[in-house]
Amino acid sequence: MSEFHMTECIRKTKGRVPLSAGEIHALVRGVTDGAIPDYQTAAWLMAVCLNGLTDTETALLTAAMRDSGQVMSWDFLQGPVADKHSTGGVGDKTTLILAPIVAACGVFMPKMSGRGLGHTGGTIDKLESIPGLTTALQPEEFRALVKRVGCAVAMQSGNLAPADKKLYALRDVTETVNSIPLICASIMSKKLATGADHILLDVKVGSGAFMKQDEDAAELARLMREAAKADGRQCSAILTDMDRPLGRCIGNALEVQEAISVLRGDTDNTLGRLCIALAAELLRMAGKGSRDACTELAEQAVSSGAALRRFAQMIEGQHGDPRVTEDLSLLPKAKCSRVIRAESDGYISAMQSEEIGRACVLLGAGRMTKTDSIDPGAGVVLAAEYGDAVQKGDPLLTMYAAAESQLDEAEGRLRAAVTVSREKPREMPLIRRMLTD
Ligand code: URA
């Protein structure tokens, strides 16, 4: 390749001229090692944001970002290795349920996860509400635990796609987060570096998600699948509704409690059904049979108690107290609580998930600044779900926090987030679309 000039990359993307593979690699290398100044990278990111990238450029960018750090290998495991990624939502505790189900069915699931972001929760914060549990696993410990138990959840290591770390930090402050090719490269570089052969993407769509429109979510899912395919991985995507929170609990220990209830057999609800569907798709991709057969396998893993036992083993392997799977009272509890009740008869016609997520941050379940600590017991438990009939005075939800003042702060926001209407609202399927091979 002739000498690399970042100005030339900016000029090309600004004029919608595709970059070559060499240019994309040099650009990612320059971002990672700091050779390209932030102002030039920011100018290029803005050009991408405005003009997009071709599918080929997006796949090349994803691969170059994947190779900017460590790429994990699971070749030493005797069996299929699967991974799942959610684009982020409110009340999304599916990893805690899926990983042990899939592991109990003979598919390895090494999971790298992150902390909460804005109004959306993070798997690491949820798991760390279990007394003693750590997600800061050393690579050897992580590998050994996955081999022994079948699943483990570790905090994303700094050496996994470091180019994304730098690009994401710049995007965050230059109003360039919201670009489908950049989101694709950011998510998929990390997924591909984690090394699974079968990847399931849970693309959230709706008011509480990064993607507000179906078409955008479908385009993101298509691009992410293309990037996975270009890397020789099998990848399905499920578009799921985030116009309402997922399940009934939002907040860290509260979500662990709900995940344990599902693993104990309480699957006949939106959360349980989604987890069985996600598990069945992962098992199908991993060669465990037809979708119907895999649905049955996933259901049996729950009804037999095998998945719950895996979860307990995983917790123990991560130095947490596995007795929480039998005794929920061992999980942290908030000191204060308050019930919000319906002010009229009717049906729940809206549960604005983004607002509920933001109220949970006020209650202490999320962070307002990077250094804030989380209150593991804080959050909200919904007493009713979208579409349910309620009467005046019925509980709509309970808030949990460390102090009454936090309940005062969140109450107005939560009251406004839940709408009770006289008309029964239209049904909203939780799974909006499935993209599989
Ligand atoms: N999550 C990521 O990891 N990256 C994005 O760009 C958006 C969501």
Side-chain angles (χ1 to χ4, degrees), residues 148-263:
R148 184 164 58 80
V149 176
C151 58
V153 182
M155 187 152 31
Q156 209 141 294
S157 107
N159 197 24
L160 206 79
D164 178 60
K165 225 175 174 177
K166 297 221 171 173
L167 286 172
Y168 198 93
L170 267 181
R171 288 167 61 209
D172 203 18
V173 291
T174 55
E175 205 36 61
T176 52
V177 170
N178 222 355
S179 150
I180 291 176
L182 293 178
I183 294 176
C184 167
S186 169
I187 292 175
M188 292 311 289
S189 58
K190 290 173 286 198
K191 282 292 107 180
L192 300 179
T194 309
D197 305 309
H198 314 284
I199 301 170
L200 178 58
L201 303 168
D202 181 3
V203 182
K204 302 287 181 198
V205 54
S207 64
F210 287 112
M211 296 288 121
K212 310 286 182 204
Q213 307 296 335
D214 271 15
E215 305 73 59
D216 289 341
E219 174 60 6
L220 176 62
R222 182 191 71 76
L223 263 184
M224 292 199 290
R225 292 185 71 216
E226 288 295 320
K229 250 191 243 163
D231 201 46
R233 321 292 176 96
Q234 192 185 17
C235 182
S236 293
I238 300 190
L239 270 56
T240 59
D241 180 55
M242 201 22 85
D243 271 329
R244 59 199 144 162
L246 181 57
R248 290 194 174 221
C249 297
I250 306 111
N252 300 288
L254 295 168
E255 293 191 41
V256 169
Q257 192 172 321
E258 191 176 19
I260 290 171
S261 301
V262 172
L263 288 170

Side-chain angles (χ1 to χ4, degrees), residues 90-94 96-97 126 129 245-267 269-272 275 308 311 324 328 331 380-382 385:
V90 177
D92 185 358
K93 65 286 284 174
T94 51
L96 310 184
I97 301 165
K126 294 172 203 201
S129 69
L246 181 57
R248 290 194 174 221
C249 297
I250 306 111
N252 300 288
L254 295 168
E255 293 191 41
V256 169
Q257 192 172 321
E258 191 176 19
I260 290 171
S261 301
V262 172
L263 288 170
R264 281 178 176 176
D266 185 16
T267 53
N269 48 57
T270 45
L271 172 67
C275 288
L308 186 67
F311 191 47
V324 294
L328 295 175
L331 287 166
V380 160
V381 176
L382 304 173
E385 291 189 37

Side-chain angles (χ1 to χ4, degrees), residues 130-153:
I130 297 172
L133 188 140
T134 179
T135 56
L137 300 175
Q138 292 305 312
E140 260 324 303
E141 198 180 5
F142 184 47
R143 278 194 281 270
L145 187 57
V146 171
K147 185 170 180 191
R148 184 164 58 80
V149 176
C151 58
V153 182

Side-chain angles (χ1 to χ4, degrees), residues 77-96:
L77 295 174
Q78 314 285 307
V81 179
D83 198 357
K84 164 258 174 192
H85 180 82
S86 157
T87 55
V90 177
D92 185 358
K93 65 286 284 174
T94 51
T95 293
L96 310 184

